[in-house]
Amino acid sequence: ETIAQLMIQVGALSNELEERKETMEKQMEDRERVAAEYTYVAKSYTEIKRKLDSRTQQWQTDLDNAKQQISSLEQQLSDTTALLQQAQKETKQWKDECTNKANSLES
């Protein structure tokens, strides 16, 4: 009878051991899957960050270039405005001189 009980206990322990083994194997598979997913996510993050940094640098360069172009255009506009004002001043002087000569000829 003791042997029968021991055999039952051995059978129960064997079943419990097999269940624990299966549970541990499943946990190891889950850990390996999570580790692989983590590695993929980390690699993806690194790649995305690299691309973002590269694009950000390009956008900054483009922005700096646009600022320089705006500054250059503003300077050209200022120069053109100054030339236009000078031309208007000279035109007024010529007009006044012509008017004065015309008036003196009429007198």
Side-chain angles (χ1 to χ4, degrees):
E1 201 173 295
T2 307
I3 293 177
Q5 286 177 343
L6 288 175
M7 292 296 285
I8 292 172
Q9 286 178 352
V10 166
L13 289 174
S14 292
N15 288 341
E16 184 179 341
L17 180 61
E18 187 61 33
E19 288 174 6
R20 285 191 182 191
K21 179 183 168 191
E22 289 174 5
T23 300
M24 292 177 91
E25 287 174 351
K26 184 178 182 318
Q27 287 175 345
M28 287 300 295
E29 289 172 4
D30 289 346
R31 286 181 183 159
E32 289 172 0
R33 181 183 48 78
V34 168
E37 289 174 358
Y38 174 80
T39 301
Y40 173 78
V41 168
K43 183 178 177 183
S44 296
Y45 169 79
T46 302
E47 181 65 21
I48 289 169
K49 185 167 183 341
R50 185 190 61 75
K51 286 180 182 179
L52 178 61
D53 290 345
S54 174
R55 288 181 182 166
T56 299
Q57 184 177 10
Q58 183 59 47
W59 291 336
Q60 187 62 49
T61 300
D62 292 347
L63 180 60
D64 291 343
N65 289 339
K67 286 178 180 178
Q68 288 176 351
Q69 289 174 349
I70 289 169
S71 178
S72 175
L73 290 171
E74 286 174 340
Q75 184 60 48
Q76 289 176 12
L77 178 60
S78 177
D79 293 346
T80 303
T81 300
L83 289 172
L84 179 60
Q85 289 172 344
Q86 181 62 33
Q88 287 173 335
K89 182 180 175 183
E90 290 175 7
T91 301
K92 184 179 182 313
Q93 289 174 347
W94 280 103
K95 180 182 172 188
D96 291 345
E97 188 175 325
C98 287
T99 302
N100 289 340
K101 287 191 180 192
N103 288 339
S104 70
L105 289 173
E106 289 175 2
S107 304

